[in-house]
Amino acid sequence: MTLRGRLTTAFLAVVLGPVLLGAFFAGGTVAVVNDHRSRERLDLAATTVRTSVSALCQQLYAAADAVAVAGEPVVRAVAARQVIARGLAVAIRVTDAVGGTTLLTPAAPGAPWADCAGGYPVSAAIQALAVRVELRDPAGGSIGAVWAAQRLDPEFVSRLAAATGTAVTLCRGEPAPGTAIQSTEHSGSRDAVLVAARRLDGDAVGETDTGRYVRRVGPSPGQPLPLVLSVPPNPPRDIYAIIAGAVLLAGLLAVLAAWRLARSTTRPLSELALAVDRVADGDLTARVPVNRPDEVGRLARTFNRMTRETQSYVHALTTSRDQLRGHLALLGDTLASTHDLHRILQVILQTALVATGARAGLLLLLDPDDGTLVGQCAEGLDGPPAADPEAVRVPLGAGVLGTVAATGEPLRGRIERDGPHRDGYEPDCRTYLAVPFAAPGSAGPPPQHPADPLVPAPAAATLGVLVLYDRHGSDDFDDTDLVTLRSFACHAAVAVDNVRVHEEAQRLSLTDPLTGLWNYRYLKESVRREVERASRFGRMISLLVLDLDRFKEVNDTYGHAAGDVVLTEFARRIRGVIREVDLAFRQGGEEFVLLLPETDARGAVTVAERLGAAVRDTPIAIPPPPGSVSAAPRALVPVTVSIGIAVYPHHATTAARMLDAADGALYAAKAGGRDTHRVATAGDGPTVQEMPVPAAAATPDDGLPRAGGHPGPGDGGASSGPHPPRQGRGR
């Protein structure tokens, strides 16, 4: 059999078979589709009915509430007439506590009324839809109720029918022939609909003897009306004749198309196959003659364009690697100006993945405290590196990464063939490429690590390791990848080193070099920021100004070196009293400031008491001056502290006034004999109020402003966060 015959037969089998099978299925499913569409129409109508009745109930609730809120009966009657005049209800009924009617508007529909809250009468035709709102006295006791009603008349049923697009029948609680009150059906159809509805269970859909689809809607919570919806059948017209004609036409077209396709395809296919064989052998100059403007001709043109573009792509790829190194160097210069360490590490790893076509990668930095590699960011990995890169910690000399960090030499190869042994954190990969993360000329002191002679020391300039796994579309990383990645890692390490230098410079500019606390430069900015946050979220903050008593005498008696020892020890004791969220500053000289977020006056007093006791109870040991006898005893210097306290917003509403108020309280503490604390009085001023401190250092019951259930500070912890110093007062 020729190729043309095979193509014709295959095309007819592929096309006509599904067409015929589809025609049989289409004819058999038309009735099912019509049934489903009618049922969906009833489902949508049922939803619309529930929504409409619910909206009417909400309107009646609003009307009843409007009457219920009116106080006196006369005012209530006026409100009832206004509600009816606005069309919110057709009738208002007010009853007393025993159910007697005290007010009934004219033209009210007769009983029974269906209550929106639930329940409906089943023994008589429903005349109205109503809601009930309780009337209560000032003590909360029930004194009656207000009923708002809407008449269920033919107009109401017609509106429901128009909204749903179906016929609507309103009946008693249990639909049966002859029990309908209102209906949009003709009398004969109405009886048939009610008979069919009586056979239904719940929300099921049934059919009448004439083929109409019937569904019951309610009564149910929120929709107390017993309604029956019905739609006529929608039989298709001439559908089977249309299907038969479509099948016949499809068959004729399929035969014609099969013959035409086979005839026009076989001739140029041989030419196309020959050109494909030449391309497969590596000859990208092969071209297919374009003889026809049909699909095969388009295929030939596409093939020719593909070979030309492939030639240009191959030429571009041969020059891209030479250009890549220059692009990476430019990228490294750009990264060197960035100061966000986490972001720069992500950019480094993602750029390395793109540059080499690797599937996954991991970047680790050397921890100078324990001499281990700590993961920073990961891409394309499963397990701990993806969820928490910092959980990856690699000792020097362990596995691929530890070896690269210890020797400073890059490694590439296959995990199962080339050493070292793969660690558990590394992915299940075939190939790897790991380079040291080192900045040229940035050599510094080697990191501290356990004094183990078996653990090699890392290269002095090594910052970490960059490792990539499994190239896409290639088995192994080559030497070009190694040179490229090592050059890029060198530039990227410079950027990381710059960021670290920037962070260290910023830290030094915001901390006091003697005590390690935040300095005056950061103080005002921190107080302003915390005051703004407290104002925005309605919180309280406390500010404590501390001044060492008679510190000038310490300097005069023991020397300034001893004074530095006292200040350093005092800062250490401050850290032992405050929480992690609290901020400690050295304003200058012997004056310090504590900023306690989320802390009221009682909490601030607790911190002041603890700090005063911590300073007062343990004198500070002063080492002997240089040149003295080594066995000379250390001098014990008793130190006390005076503290002024201000609380936002009770004592001040701005950062400057907070500092002034706390300063005023500090002056009062100094004037009150020192070694004590004072709390500023309410208002934006430096005035203070004295607070006696019991001997047991318990917080007095003094009516101070409190933060409503927030515990006071002083649970221990270290201070964190930077702040700015003023000159000490030499008290």
Side-chain angles (χ1 to χ4, degrees):
M1 193 174 183
T2 64
L3 176 61
R4 180 178 302 179
R6 291 197 300 270
L7 287 176
T8 303
T9 303
F11 186 83
L12 292 176
V14 169
V15 174
L16 290 182
V19 168
L20 294 175
L21 185 61
F24 284 114
F25 275 107
T29 57
V30 167
V32 176
V33 171
N34 176 64
D35 180 75
H36 287 175
R37 292 172 65 182
S38 298
R39 292 174 183 271
E40 290 176 357
R41 183 179 172 187
L42 285 176
D43 290 340
L44 180 60
T47 302
T48 304
V49 164
R50 293 189 183 96
T51 303
S52 300
V53 174
S54 176
L56 180 57
C57 289
Q58 294 298 323
Q59 175 181 319
L60 293 176
Y61 271 116
D65 283 335
V67 176
V69 297
E72 299 299 328
V74 175
V75 179
R76 196 173 290 133
V78 173
R81 288 195 297 272
Q82 291 177 349
V83 166
I84 295 174
R86 293 179 181 178
L88 299 178
V90 300
I92 297 295
R93 177 187 176 196
V94 181
T95 61
D96 55 19
V98 297
T101 301
T102 61
L103 173 64
L104 182 64
T105 58
W113 293 358
D115 189 354
C116 285
Y120 62 93
V122 298
S123 60
I126 303 171
Q127 299 299 318
L129 180 66
V131 300
R132 181 176 184 271
V133 175
E134 290 284 344
L135 287 176
R136 300 187 180 277
D137 57 18
S142 177
I143 60 173
V146 176
W147 291 81
Q150 179 68 44
R151 182 177 288 106
L152 301 179
D153 51 13
E155 182 181 354
F156 172 79
V157 177
S158 299
R159 287 198 304 270
L160 285 181
T164 60
T166 63
V168 179
T169 301
L170 175 65
C171 57
R172 293 191 306 181
E174 193 63 36
T179 63
I181 298 175
Q182 303 294 342
S183 176
T184 57
E185 295 274 11
H186 297 295
S187 58
S189 299
R190 181 186 63 192
D191 294 339
V193 166
L194 291 175
V195 170
R198 185 177 55 185
R199 298 195 297 263
L200 297 179
D201 183 16
D203 292 337
V205 177
E207 295 185 44
T208 64
D209 296 337
T210 59
R212 290 185 68 86
Y213 290 86
V214 179
R215 175 172 175 168
R216 294 174 60 179
V217 181
S220 62
Q223 201 292 95
L225 302 180
L227 300 173
V228 179
L229 309 180
S230 63
V231 294
N234 186 24
R237 298 180 179 179
D238 303 327
I239 187 65
Y240 297 109
I242 294 174
I243 293 176
V247 171
L248 180 60
L249 179 61
L252 294 176
L253 293 177
V255 172
L256 180 61
W259 177 80
R260 182 78 175 178
L261 177 65
R263 182 175 178 275
S264 60
T265 302
T266 54
R267 183 177 301 172
L269 282 180
S270 59
E271 298 175 347
L272 181 61
L274 179 61
V276 170
D277 288 338
R278 291 175 57 188
V279 172
D281 293 335
D283 183 8
L284 296 179
T285 62
R287 299 291 184 268
V288 178
V290 181
N291 300 321
R292 298 174 182 272
D294 56 10
E295 287 80 1
V296 177
R298 289 165 52 194
L299 178 61
R301 287 192 295 272
T302 303
F303 176 82
N304 294 337
R305 187 174 68 252
M306 179 188 67
T307 55
R308 287 193 298 269
E309 292 179 356
T310 302
Q311 280 184 298
S312 63
Y313 291 154
V314 170
H315 178 70
L317 287 174
T318 57
T319 59
S320 63
R321 286 192 176 182
D322 296 335
Q323 299 173 353
L324 181 59
R325 187 174 302 174
H327 291 315
L328 291 178
L330 179 61
L331 177 62
D333 294 337
T334 303
L335 293 177
S337 63
T338 304
H339 299 299
D340 184 351
L341 182 59
H342 180 70
R343 175 59 182 162
I344 199 174
L345 294 178
Q346 286 183 324
V347 171
I348 290 170
L349 180 57
Q350 293 169 0
T351 305
L353 291 173
V354 173
T356 59
R359 177 182 60 84
L362 179 63
L363 196 153
L364 305 92
L365 294 182
L366 197 63
D367 187 348
D369 294 331
D370 56 8
T372 60
L373 292 170
V374 181
Q376 302 297 321
C377 54
E379 292 283 345
L381 300 180
D382 299 327
D388 183 12
E390 295 187 3
V392 178
R393 303 187 72 90
V394 182
L396 291 176
V400 174
L401 303 185
T403 302
V404 171
T407 62
E409 294 296 328
L411 291 176
R412 69 177 180 89
R414 288 178 173 268
I415 290 293
E416 70 278 3
R417 183 190 65 195
D418 306 321
H421 179 69
R422 181 173 66 92
D423 284 343
Y425 64 86
E426 293 182 305
D428 185 13
C429 63
R430 298 189 307 275
T431 62
Y432 64 88
L433 173 58
V435 297
F437 207 60
S442 62
Q448 300 297 322
H449 52 79
D452 187 349
L454 299 180
V455 177
T462 299
L463 300 179
V465 175
L466 175 61
V467 59
L468 304 178
Y469 300 102
D470 292 345
R471 282 182 57 185
H472 291 292
S474 179
D475 290 335
D476 296 321
F477 294 98
D478 54 29
D479 291 336
T480 304
D481 295 321
L482 189 147
V483 173
T484 299
L485 188 61
R486 190 169 190 180
S487 175
F488 172 69
C490 206
H491 287 285
V494 173
V496 174
D497 193 51
N498 289 342
V499 170
R500 286 183 166 179
V501 171
H502 174 77
E503 290 178 347
E504 179 64 14
Q506 186 179 31
R507 185 190 67 81
L508 292 176
S509 69
L510 297 176
T511 56
D512 177 58
L514 177 63
T515 62
L517 302 180
W518 303 116
N519 60 20
Y520 180 72
R521 178 183 177 188
Y522 198 53
L523 170 60
K524 286 190 175 180
E525 174 62 23
S526 298
V527 177
R528 181 195 60 79
R529 184 179 62 248
E530 292 298 333
V531 167
E532 289 179 356
R533 182 181 293 116
S535 174
R536 184 164 56 252
F537 297 105
R539 305 296 175 82
M540 301 179 73
I541 58 175
S542 293
L543 185 72
L544 282 67
V545 177
L546 300 77
D547 190 272
L548 291 175
D549 298 325
R550 299 182 178 89
F551 181 72
K552 185 175 182 301
E553 297 179 5
V554 176
N555 284 334
D556 294 341
T557 304
Y558 300 97
H560 290 281
D564 291 344
V565 173
V566 171
L567 293 175
T568 303
E569 175 61 19
F570 181 60
R572 187 191 66 79
R573 297 184 187 184
I574 289 177
R575 293 191 188 96
V577 171
I578 62 176
R579 307 165 298 179
E580 282 193 25
V581 297
D582 300 331
L583 302 176
F585 311 86
R586 183 187 178 195
Q587 280 204 102
E590 71 277 14
E591 187 167 317
F592 297 79
V593 175
L594 295 183
L595 184 59
L596 312 179
E598 305 279 348
T599 305
D600 57 11
R602 180 168 295 279
V605 168
T606 301
V607 173
E609 292 170 350
R610 293 180 181 177
L611 185 57
V615 175
R616 180 191 318 111
D617 296 345
T618 305
I620 298 177
I622 302 299
S628 61
V629 181
S630 59
R634 293 193 172 196
L636 297 179
V637 179
V639 180
T640 59
V641 62
S642 298
I643 304 174
I645 302 172
V647 179
Y648 173 89
H650 299 285
H651 303 141
T653 56
T654 65
R657 292 181 177 178
M658 282 279 290
L659 288 168
D660 291 341
D663 274 338
L666 175 61
Y667 281 118
K670 289 286 188 180
R674 296 182 175 84
D675 190 18
T676 185
H677 58 267
R678 292 290 186 269
V679 179
T681 57
D684 290 332
T687 57
V688 298
Q689 64 178 2
E690 294 192 6
M691 176 185 296
V693 181
T699 303
D701 187 7
D702 49 15
L704 289 174
R706 292 165 177 79
H710 293 288
D715 300 329
S719 171
S720 63
H723 295 236
R726 287 182 290 180
Q727 296 301 319
R729 294 173 174 78
R731 302 183 182 93

